[in-house]
Amino acid sequence: YGYIHSCPTNLGTGMRASVHVDLPGWTKEGVDKLNARCEVLCVQPRGTRGESGGQTGCTYDISNKHRLGYSEVQLVQVMIDAVNTLWKEDQEWQKKHGM
């Protein structure tokens, strides 16, 4: 016998929308700063190898942070808006760092 269980973050819609995006300017500025910015935007940056795979290069998997209490449309829109914001900010970081 056994138990069926689920991580609480996967209850509700359980939807995780993500996109891979190159952010060389943010990478140069520092991953800690990127993590802090993503926190404000309600998204999570991960390496392209998944949650525990680590970060390589400047390509990030950006996904919605919240899973509970929001519709699928809201979750996807948060991710889209955050990626657009991060990309625009990345352009500025690239100019700052002469990239």
Side-chain angles (χ1 to χ4, degrees):
Y1 301 99
Y3 298 94
I4 297 176
H5 59 87
S6 176
C7 176
T9 61
N10 290 326
L11 297 174
T13 65
M15 186 172 151
R16 177 182 178 270
S18 69
V19 65
H20 285 187
V21 61
D22 288 338
L23 299 172
W26 272 110
T27 302
K28 183 83 170 174
E29 189 61 21
V31 176
D32 289 339
K33 287 187 178 183
L34 174 60
N35 286 331
R37 182 64 174 134
C38 285
E39 182 73 26
V40 171
L41 296 172
C42 298
V43 292
Q44 296 174 314
R46 297 179 180 175
T48 55
R49 296 181 182 170
E51 188 172 348
S52 59
Q55 174 59 31
T56 59
C58 65
T59 304
Y60 297 86
D61 178 314
I62 306 293
S63 65
N64 54 298
K65 182 175 179 180
H66 301 293
R67 311 283 198 273
L68 298 171
Y70 300 92
S71 72
E72 290 87 348
V73 172
Q74 290 171 309
L75 295 174
V76 170
Q77 194 61 57
V78 165
M79 186 269 305
I80 290 170
D81 292 344
V83 168
N84 284 333
T85 298
L86 290 169
W87 186 83
K88 287 175 188 172
E89 293 169 350
D90 188 76
Q91 300 302 302
E92 294 302 316
W93 287 125
Q94 287 184 51
K95 287 178 189 174
K96 177 186 172 192
H97 293 292
M99 301 170 74

